[in-house]
Structures are given as structure tokens and as C-alpha cells.
Amino acid sequence: MNQQMSKTVVIVNELGLHARSAAKIARLAQQATSDVWLEFDGEQADATSIIDLLSLGCAQGTTVTVTVQDGQDINILDALVDLIQNGFGE
């Protein structure tokens, strides 16, 4: 496939993107075969890095874009979007 894919999602968790939620994102992103990125306000973070994710400073209501470099990772993209939309299971 080798085609980059992205989806936009709103952070609904009242604590925003914090350490525990960043760890859940990183764990999922590490299962991808290609690079996975989260983007907010022109800044891009490596989704496998908790520190990178936290540096985005995403509060509740923030709209982020999740991107996978290879369309073969569509399942990871969908899982990340579900995780974020469901408030990180918290």
C-alpha cells in the first residue's frame, strides 16, 4: 500500500493528553510497521514517544491529527482514533 493515511479526532478526556494516556497511545503506535505521528497546532510528535506526545500539550477539546506513514497500518490508525474518542478508557 505504502500510502500515508490520516484521521482527525478530538480529545474528549477531561484531563487531556496526560502521561497515562500518552503511554496507551505509544503502546499502540509501537505495533505499527511504519511511523505514526500525532499533530496539533502545526507541531508533530512521534506517537511512539511518551515525551513527544506530552510536549504537544493537548487539553480536552483539542483537535489532533493521527497519521500512519503506510496504509497497511490502517488498523493501528483506527485503534488510535477509537482510543482517543473513548477518552483513553478512563
Side-chain angles (χ1 to χ4, degrees):
M1 233 174 181
N2 215 12
Q3 178 179 324
Q4 179 175 308
M5 301 183 81
S6 299
K7 290 189 179 182
T8 302
V9 63
V10 175
I11 304 224
V12 297
N13 186 295
E14 67 181 39
L15 298 175
L17 181 56
H18 55 87
R20 194 171 44 250
S21 55
K24 289 179 181 183
I25 290 173
R27 217 172 297 124
L28 259 177
Q30 288 167 0
Q31 296 174 29
T33 58
S34 67
D35 291 337
V36 181
W37 304 95
L38 234 68
E39 185 175 338
F40 166 64
D41 199 25
E43 296 291 322
Q44 196 174 50
D46 177 353
T48 64
S49 169
I50 296 169
I51 299 297
D52 271 13
L53 292 169
L54 292 175
S55 74
L56 292 176
C58 298
Q60 181 182 30
T62 299
T63 299
V64 296
T65 301
V66 183
T67 302
V68 292
Q69 283 303 123
D70 191 325
Q72 289 181 333
D73 288 319
I74 185 70
N75 59 326
I76 300 296
L77 178 61
D78 290 340
L80 287 167
V81 168
D82 286 346
L83 179 68
I84 295 168
Q85 286 178 331
N86 291 312
F88 308 107
E90 296 179 350

